[in-house]
Amino acid sequence: MLSVIVPAYNEQENIENTASVISGILRKNGTEYELIFVDDGSKDDTWNIIAGLSEKDPSIRGLHFSRNFGKEGAIFAGLKRCTGDCAVVIDCDLQHPPELIPEMLRLHDEEGFEVVEAVKASRGKESLSYKFFAKGFYRIMKNSSSVNLDRASDYKLMDRKVIDALNEMPERITFFRALSSWVGFRTTQIEFEVAPRNAGTTKWNFRKLVRFALNNITSFTNFPMQIITWLGVLFLLFAVIISVYSIVKFFCGQSLEGFTTVYILVLLSSSVVMIGLGIIGYYMSKIYEEIKFRPRYIISIDTKDKERKEQNRSNGENG
Ligand code: UDP
Ligand code: MG
């Protein structure tokens, strides 16, 4: 059986259409499936629509978060609760073409690939500044942690083994796109063109994206911490040169003029120390977040649990 995991945040215009498109494709393909919508604490009608659909269609299951925890949490909640032999993670706005699922399944079933990644053939329509920051982010990630994410997306099919491996990851701050390639396994890729959003608007803003990028860089590489060391070395060299210069000048009968040098040195070195402390502080805060062992998400309603309860109740009445 295949589990399809769809994270959704304020997607009321999309749920019904997405559900019928994906169901249609899978039915036509003769696949046994469950469709899990993870409502990431939406503020609109998303959850009511999901709950309604799940009552009508037993292959649709809804998970409802107690608040907005972010897409990462939604994906991992879906992976934790899904029961399929393999799972596909797909966006709710149909930017990830669901027509690819049968082909991904074929690669899994017939050719024995354990991970089938859909990679972007091109990066779709993005603003110039977005492109610039995305490029920088991917370059840092690639050079320092050897996970190449330039064309990667969250659209993936994973075997049960991979799902279990991901579920065993203890960390709180997760980056699904990188973790799913970090775990390894037999992987292949297929290309897709990013479709325009079906309805609604993107759920990201600049602040969210910057936080996302910083989280991911710090959880995958210690490279920023090494910058401090190198800056320190650079300043030591600088200090040695200035000292030698002033000693030579002193023996020639001149002392180096004024406080200017002192000012410059104090300012430079203190700024380096502050940058260094900042970077260390950032990593420390991440460590702090991790060791609190808070859950990645809190599920307030699971339509499957509700069904089970009702079943138990009616069994009790009958017996
Ligand atoms: N999403 C989510 N929680 C969030 C933000 C987004 O579950 O806090 C979901 C959203 O509903 C969609 C997917 O993540 O299914 C991708 O979001 P979006 O289309 O806004 O991102 P983009 O395609 O612009 O990168
Ligand atoms: Mg989208």
Side-chain angles (χ1 to χ4, degrees), residues 6-11 38 40 68-71 74 90-93 95 130 197 201-204 208:
V6 193
Y9 177 55
N10 293 345
E11 301 275 9
V38 188
D40 187 8
N68 181 236
F69 279 93
K71 189 182 177 186
I90 188 169
D91 274 6
C92 193
D93 52 9
Q95 281 192 297
Y130 184 91
R197 215 171 202 287
T201 52
T202 175
K203 304 295 177 283
W204 293 95
K208 258 189 167 173

Side-chain angles (χ1 to χ4, degrees), residues 37 44-45 52 62 84 87 92 141 167 170 183 221 224 230 260 275 280:
F37 281 101
D44 61 3
D45 230 14
C92 193
M141 287 296 284
N167 283 341
V183 290
T221 123
W230 288 112
T260 333
I275 293 172
I280 294 171

Side-chain angles (χ1 to χ4, degrees), residues 51 89 99 159:
V89 176
E99 302 81 50
D159 186 72

Side-chain angles (χ1 to χ4, degrees), residues 37-312:
F37 281 101
V38 188
D39 171 25
D40 187 8
S42 302
K43 293 178 186 68
D44 61 3
D45 230 14
T46 303
W47 175 247
N48 292 334
I49 298 173
I50 296 174
L53 282 178
S54 79
E55 250 160 50
K56 272 185 267 163
D57 183 345
S59 56
I60 293 182
R61 177 179 184 180
L63 301 177
H64 181 55
F65 281 4
S66 58
R67 64 167 170 87
N68 181 236
F69 279 93
K71 189 182 177 186
E72 294 289 314
I75 293 175
F76 277 89
L79 288 174
K80 193 96 199 172
R81 298 243 168 156
C82 73
T83 53
D85 306 310
C86 54
V88 169
V89 176
I90 188 169
D91 274 6
C92 193
D93 52 9
L94 293 183
Q95 281 192 297
H96 297 157
E99 302 81 50
L100 290 184
I101 297 177
E103 170 64 9
M104 291 163 101
L105 265 174
R106 195 191 63 76
L107 286 167
H108 171 266
D109 296 344
E110 287 169 26
E111 302 192 16
F113 286 105
E114 289 156 322
V115 180
V116 184
E117 302 176 324
V119 298
K120 299 169 188 159
S122 63
R123 293 195 45 99
K125 273 207 188 80
E126 286 164 350
S127 68
L128 220 67
S129 60
Y130 184 91
K131 267 202 180 112
F132 176 77
F133 284 111
K135 261 227 168 84
F137 167 66
Y138 289 126
R139 181 158 310 146
I140 293 179
M141 287 296 284
K142 188 179 165 195
N143 290 346
S144 47
S145 63
S146 70
V147 181
N148 188 5
L149 297 172
D150 193 16
R151 290 154 68 216
S153 71
D154 288 335
Y155 189 16
K156 277 177 202 194
L157 180 138
M158 288 153 293
D159 186 72
R160 184 84 243 169
K161 281 185 248 172
V162 185
I163 302 171
D164 290 341
L166 285 172
N167 283 341
E168 266 167 36
M169 301 257 165
E171 62 224 70
R172 310 289 101 192
I173 306 164
T174 49
F175 185 26
F176 173 68
R177 213 171 290 182
L179 276 181
S180 54
S181 84
W182 182 90
V183 290
F185 292 101
R186 240 189 114 209
T187 305
T188 185
Q189 301 185 327
I190 54 176
E191 284 197 342
F192 74 96
E193 281 296 338
V194 182
R197 215 171 202 287
N198 185 43
T201 52
T202 175
K203 304 295 177 283
W204 293 95
N205 56 35
F206 189 68
R207 251 189 50 220
K208 258 189 167 173
L209 276 172
V210 170
R211 188 159 0 117
F212 184 69
L214 284 180
N215 262 343
N216 297 329
I217 291 172
T218 49
S219 67
F220 265 87
T221 123
N222 292 327
F223 150 78
M225 280 182 152
Q226 284 149 19
I227 301 177
I228 313 167
T229 322
W230 288 112
L231 277 179
V233 172
L234 200 77
F235 275 86
L236 185 67
L237 243 135
F238 193 54
V240 169
I241 293 170
I242 297 244
S243 320
V244 170
Y245 178 66
S246 43
I247 290 169
V248 170
K249 274 219 154 175
F250 177 78
F251 281 113
C252 295
Q254 293 168 294
S255 63
L256 216 56
E257 50 182 297
F259 277 109
T260 333
T261 7
V262 180
Y263 287 148
I264 294 173
L265 281 179
V266 168
L267 282 177
L268 279 178
S269 56
S270 59
S271 58
V272 171
V273 169
M274 278 189 275
I275 293 172
L277 280 177
I279 297 176
I280 294 171
Y282 196 78
Y283 274 91
M284 287 242 313
S285 70
K286 295 292 142 203
I287 297 171
Y288 179 56
E289 262 170 60
E290 291 281 2
I291 62 157
K292 279 191 285 192
F293 288 115
R294 293 219 175 126
R296 280 182 269 210
Y297 50 81
I298 298 171
I299 296 177
S300 61
I301 311 172
D302 181 340
T303 54
K304 264 271 149 34
D305 291 347
K306 228 162 101 191
E307 267 167 43
R308 245 177 251 135
K309 248 182 227 152
E310 267 157 26
Q311 232 167 31
N312 287 346

